[in-house]
């Protein structure tokens, strides 16, 4: 099993802050949602290594204690898209 997590990071935060966490959904549903969001927000992608640049990261990661063969995937977007991404996640993930 895996889950979707959206985190926010800006120059005032030492650690990213979770702004949205997905509920119970199948791996297939989460993968489809991740792919759809990656495609929809492709023009807003940025490098996560930029210093002092606010950004959000959508992570697809295994649930603690679950299958070790699952893997982590993520995309990083401009922080200005946070509200838009949260809205799409709320619509797609019940």
């Amino acid at each position: 099993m895996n889950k979707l997590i959206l985190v926010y990071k800006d120059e005032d935060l030492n650690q990213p802050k979770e702004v949205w966490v997905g509920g119970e959904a199948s791996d297939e549903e989460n993968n489809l949602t991740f792919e759809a969001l990656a495609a929809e927000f492709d023009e807003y992608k940025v490098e996560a290594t930029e210093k002092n640049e606010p950004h959000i990261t959508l992570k697809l990661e295994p649930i603690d204690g679950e299958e070790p063969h699952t893997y982590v995937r993520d995309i990083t977007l401009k922080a200005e898209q946070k509200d838009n991404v949260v809205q799409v996640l709320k619509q797609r993930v019940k």
Side-chain angles (χ1 to χ4, degrees):
M1 292 285 298
N2 61 30
K3 63 182 173 180
L4 289 165
I5 301 170
L6 184 66
V7 296
Y8 173 76
K9 175 83 170 82
D10 70 14
E11 58 273 7
D12 296 330
L13 296 172
N14 290 329
Q15 295 291 333
K17 179 177 93 173
E18 288 184 357
V19 292
W20 185 89
V21 177
E24 298 285 325
S26 72
D27 287 355
E28 184 177 346
E29 289 176 68
N30 282 338
N31 279 304
L32 289 173
T33 298
F34 182 90
E35 293 294 335
L37 280 156
E40 184 172 341
F41 291 94
D42 185 63
E43 67 187 279
Y44 301 105
K45 287 182 183 173
V46 294
E47 290 294 322
T49 58
E50 293 178 42
K51 300 270 186 198
N52 298 324
E53 186 72 32
H55 61 271
I56 55 174
T57 302
L58 180 63
K59 298 179 181 184
L60 181 63
E61 60 185 37
I63 294 174
D64 293 336
E66 289 293 326
E67 303 89 15
H69 68 274
T70 58
Y71 55 91
V72 175
R73 298 173 66 191
D74 62 50
I75 54 171
T76 301
L77 307 168
K78 293 179 181 178
E80 64 200 30
Q81 293 301 310
K82 180 175 72 166
D83 292 339
N84 295 333
V85 172
V86 169
Q87 281 302 110
V88 172
L89 284 167
K90 285 180 178 177
Q91 291 171 355
R92 291 188 64 96
V93 180
K94 303 295 182 209

